[in-house]
């Protein structure tokens, strides 16, 4: 077999890259170690920056997004019951759209024109410093595909970054001492827009997937176990962390899904190794506080697609040569914003009374300064590429 680009990973990043290459007439093959049903079953966030919405338009997969997506002109921040709304539309003239990552993945799967091989076992990347090829097994049969380039879109635990020699890559990481316990429920959201709440007991987030399906989170220690949290315990804890008016109108129900996601910040540098490029979670992880994970992945593959289209259309490697530096510039700005949001809204075990007072001062400065609110709104709705 031979193709121009092998994409490792059929999550939203890999599928979006494949779609953009399909539309440009560039042959590509996607390899995914899990089944299609497994990929679609992953519950992930879904706050899309305007740039991600524009990319869905460009990929011609945005019909359902525009029909079903929930447009948010702002968000609410709360600190010990004191609430303030950040008006994105008024402050920076932009907005975000709530549309689940599962739905983004489904739309891209449905539009896929090129070949996607699911349940590809033992995927291995070879000779990406020279003439690259990829091998895998499917149903007990070994396969090989030769290619011009490999795009590693297979996540934090994928084979792509692991294939890079350790002395060729540098990683930066911060592990937070807590995670988010999340619950999905078929009840209307407690508010039209997201609510980010700081409380002395820990952070809480009221989010949503649709007008009838809600997603809620509470900060928990990394030592906590999902099985120790009954639905009733979760709802009681969430109410404690919300302002009284919001807690009173919260509609509870039986959880459809419940899980704990640890929080970490992670960046790999560089993102190019010969003819191998890293994108999405293979390249970086951000805490979910700033709603940047999916958006960063979309930004990565938009840059990479443009660079590949330039190469095959104009025989120019300029975009490919600049991809790593350009993507990392945006990645680190998103990492900074996600770190800042996390630092403001969470309770840190070792920060003490001084740390809490600093957080309160930060919240008071933010809510009293239009310039500070504009900075938040600019970052939340998405910086330009």
């Amino acid at each position: 077999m031979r193709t121009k680009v092998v994409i490792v990973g059929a999550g939203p990043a890999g599928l979006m890259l494949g779609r953009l290459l399909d539309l440009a007439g560039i042959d590509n093959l996607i390899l995914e170690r899990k089944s299609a049903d497994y990929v679609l079953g992953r519950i992930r966030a879904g706050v899309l920056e305007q740039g991600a919405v524009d990319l869905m338009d460009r990929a011609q997969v945005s019909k359902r997004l525009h029909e079903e997506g929930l447009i948010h002109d702002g968000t609410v921040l709360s600190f010990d019951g004191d609430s303030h709304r950040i008006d994105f539309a008024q402050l920076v003239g932009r907005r975000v759209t709530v549309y689940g990552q599962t739905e983004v993945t489904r739309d891209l799967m449905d539009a896929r024109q090129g070949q996607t091989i699911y349940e590809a076992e033992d995927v291995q990347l070879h000779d990406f410093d020279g003439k690259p090829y990829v091998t895998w097994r499917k149903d007990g049969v070994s396969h090989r595909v030769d290619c011009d380039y490999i795009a590693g879109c297979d996540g934090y635990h994928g084979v792509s970054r692991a294939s890079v020699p350790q002395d060729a890559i540098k990683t930066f990481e911060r592990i937070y001492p807590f995670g988010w316990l999340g619950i999905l429920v078929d009840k209307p959201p407690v508010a039209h827009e997201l609510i980010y709440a700081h409380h002395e007991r820990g952070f809480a987030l009221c989010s949503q997937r649709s007008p009838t399906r809600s997603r809620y989170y509470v900060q928990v220690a990394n030592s906590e176990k999902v099985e120790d949290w009954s639905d009733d315990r979760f709802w009681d804890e969430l109410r404690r962390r919300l302002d009284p008016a919001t807690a009173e109108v919260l509609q509870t129900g039986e959880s459809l899904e419940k899980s704990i996601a640890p929080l970490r910040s992670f960046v790999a540098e560089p993102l190019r190794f010969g003819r191998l490029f890293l994108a999405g979670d293979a390249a970086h992880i951000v805490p979910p506080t700033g709603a940047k994970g999916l958006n960063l992945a979309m930004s990565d593959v938009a840059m990479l697609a443009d660079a590949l289209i330039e190469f095959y259309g104009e025989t120019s490697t300029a975009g490919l040569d600049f991809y790593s530096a350009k993507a990392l510039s945006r990645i680190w700005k998103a990492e900074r914003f996600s770190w800042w949001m996390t630092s403001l809204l969470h309770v840190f075990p070792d920060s003490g009374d001084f740390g809490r007072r600093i957080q309160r001062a930060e919240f008071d400065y933010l809510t009293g300064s239009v310039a500070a609110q504009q900075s938040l709104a600019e970052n939340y709705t998405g910086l330009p590429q």
Side-chain angles (χ1 to χ4, degrees), residues 97-109:
T97 302
V98 174
Y99 188 67
Q101 179 171 319
T102 301
E103 305 310 316
V104 172
T105 304
R106 188 188 309 277
D107 293 338
L108 288 165
M109 277 186 176

Side-chain angles (χ1 to χ4, degrees), residues 8 31-33 120-125 134-137 159:
V8 185
L31 294 172
E32 168 59 49
R33 66 187 182 93
E121 300 176 335
D122 192 26
V123 175
Q124 295 187 34
L125 283 50
V134 180
T135 58
W136 73 97
R137 286 185 296 106
V159 67

Side-chain angles (χ1 to χ4, degrees), residues 202-258:
F203 167 77
L205 171 61
C206 300
S207 185
Q208 54 200 252
R209 292 293 175 270
S210 75
T212 60
R213 178 168 288 187
S214 303
R215 183 75 162 161
Y216 297 103
Y217 300 93
V218 294
Q219 175 188 347
V220 297
N222 282 337
S223 58
E224 291 282 355
K225 307 292 185 185
V226 173
E227 52 267 25
D228 294 333
W229 284 81
S230 66
D231 288 357
D232 288 342
R233 182 187 177 192
F234 177 91
W235 295 122
D236 289 344
E237 186 61 34
L238 178 62
R239 287 193 189 95
R240 290 189 186 101
R241 301 185 188 188
L242 301 176
D243 66 273
T246 302
E248 186 175 348
V249 298
L250 176 69
Q251 294 188 40
T252 65
E254 182 179 355
S255 61
L256 303 176
E257 188 268 348
K258 191 187 301 175

Side-chain angles (χ1 to χ4, degrees), residues 25 33 54 60 75 78 85 118 137 159 174 184 192 205 262 304 306 310 323 325 370:
R33 66 187 182 93
D54 293 343
Q60 302 173 22
T75 193
S78 172
R85 181 173 181 268
Y118 291 97
R137 286 185 296 106
V159 67
R174 167 170 288 186
L184 192 68
H192 170 63
L205 171 61
L304 185 53
D306 288 343
E310 178 186 40
Y323 165 73
V370 172

